[in-house]
Amino acid sequence: MSGFSEFMQDGGPMMWPILVFGVVTAGAAGRFAWRPERGRLGFAAGMWATTLAQIVCATLGALAAVFRTMSDPAAVPDDKVTRTLFEGLKECTRPGLLGGEFLVLALLLVAIGLGRGASVAAE
């Protein structure tokens, strides 16, 4: 296993809602970029906030799992504590990396839509 499937598995099951919300967010922002009507902006903004909230929840859940594991002396042998901690913290970054890309893409598309809307209004 490698690539995207490993990345998704590292992040845990909460990565799937981030992926779905991120695709919907980017789609809504893309629709606004294509046809910059103010009425479309609210849905894109709401989905952007939903995706952000899911990223935060998934990251906090992943951190809680790492801390729970690290606090159990029977779960991690003493000679593996540092490596296990860093592996767990690496996996905690996955939700932010996946969702963050969608958030940046959505902001870029909304900026394009706002620019297009301003140029159309000026004509």
Side-chain angles (χ1 to χ4, degrees), residues 10-35:
D10 281 354
M14 297 307 285
M15 293 287 281
W16 294 104
I18 293 171
L19 181 62
V20 171
F21 295 157
V23 167
V24 172
T25 301
R31 188 172 180 202
F32 178 75
W34 185 259
R35 294 191 60 194

Side-chain angles (χ1 to χ4, degrees), residues 70 76-89:
M70 296 306 297
V76 182
D78 288 343
D79 62 332
K80 303 280 187 204
V81 168
T82 303
R83 181 176 299 277
T84 303
L85 176 62
F86 282 116
E87 179 68 24
L89 292 177

Side-chain angles (χ1 to χ4, degrees), residues 54-87:
Q54 181 62 31
I55 292 166
V56 170
C57 288
T59 301
L60 291 174
L63 285 168
V66 169
F67 296 149
R68 181 180 57 244
T69 299
M70 296 306 297
S71 66
D72 181 3
V76 182
D78 288 343
D79 62 332
K80 303 280 187 204
V81 168
T82 303
R83 181 176 299 277
T84 303
L85 176 62
F86 282 116
E87 179 68 24

